[in-house]
């Protein structure tokens, strides 16, 4: 199943589980879903923390390699471009392209392989927002 179809099923099921009847949803769903999907393919569906660009610039000044590892689909690169962040990143690795999701060790290996210099796992820093896939994933990766 391609990512768009997966999201389409998830959004449809979410409306149904929220109590919207199929009779009411079906005639409007395609237009509604297209609008939602496109919104989250651009900067319209996201915002950048106020200090993010300054932080990335500072890391760049110190020649620190930065990248994004995300359990996401093929839209991630386009979203980061529309947010004007790709110029600060050395790589973008969505799980869709990697073939693995965090916390799987393989996605972290692939990310390290995208950097042009050899970096050991214990020399890398991963920042995330999910204790299970980000913190525990990197902990299990190292130990």
């Amino acid at each position: 199943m391609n990512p768009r179809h997966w999201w389409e099923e998830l959004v449809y099921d979410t409306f149904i589980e929220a109590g919207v009847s199929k009779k009411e949803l079906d005639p409007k769903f395609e237009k509604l879903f297209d609008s939602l999907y496109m919104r989250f393919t651009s900067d319209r569906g996201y915002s950048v923390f106020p200090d993010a660009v300054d932080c990335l610039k500072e890391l760049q000044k110190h020649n620190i390699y930065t990248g994004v590892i995300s359990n996401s689909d093929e839209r991630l690169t386009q979203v980061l471009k529309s947010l004007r962040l790709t110029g600060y990143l050395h790589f973008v690795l969505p799980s869709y392209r990697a073939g693995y999701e965090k916390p799987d060790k393989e996605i972290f290996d692939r990310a390290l392989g995208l950097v042009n210099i050899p970096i050991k796992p214990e020399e890398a820093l991963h920042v995330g927002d999910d204790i299970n896939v980000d913190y525990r994933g990197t902990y299990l990766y190292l130990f």
Side-chain angles (χ1 to χ4, degrees):
M1 174 183 313
N2 70 47
R4 182 183 171 93
H5 186 72
W6 184 88
W7 280 112
E8 192 170 8
E9 282 187 8
L10 178 75
V11 170
Y12 187 87
D13 291 345
T14 300
F15 276 105
I16 297 301
E17 288 176 27
V20 178
S21 71
K22 288 184 178 193
K23 182 180 177 182
E24 186 179 354
L25 180 60
D26 285 351
K28 304 171 188 171
F29 183 73
E30 186 176 340
K31 185 176 179 180
L32 172 67
F33 177 75
D34 285 344
S35 176
L36 279 171
Y37 194 81
M38 292 311 297
R39 179 177 181 83
F40 289 98
T41 302
S42 72
D43 60 348
R44 291 182 302 137
Y46 304 90
S47 60
V48 177
F49 287 110
D51 57 348
V53 171
D54 289 339
C55 180
L56 290 167
K57 284 179 181 177
E58 191 66 24
L59 292 168
Q60 216 173 34
K61 252 195 309 194
H62 293 282
N63 296 317
I64 296 174
Y65 285 78
T66 57
V68 172
I69 306 169
S70 180
N71 289 348
S72 60
D73 59 39
E74 76 278 358
R75 295 173 296 161
L76 177 62
T77 302
Q78 180 57 42
V79 168
L80 293 169
K81 281 181 186 175
S82 68
L83 291 168
R84 296 175 189 83
L85 296 175
T86 53
Y88 303 106
L89 304 170
H90 293 89
F91 68 87
V92 176
L93 183 59
S95 58
Y96 180 78
R97 193 176 83 212
Y100 300 91
E101 288 188 342
K102 300 177 295 178
D104 194 304
K105 176 186 180 303
E106 191 65 35
I107 197 166
F108 297 107
D109 281 336
R110 295 213 179 182
L112 289 177
L114 292 173
V115 179
N116 293 331
I117 61 170
I119 296 177
K120 297 178 204 163
E122 59 272 14
E123 297 172 324
L125 172 67
H126 177 76
V127 178
D129 64 353
D130 184 304
I131 194 164
N132 290 315
V133 298
D134 293 311
Y135 172 73
R136 290 191 179 120
T138 53
Y139 182 83
L140 292 172
Y141 179 67
L142 290 171
F143 301 104

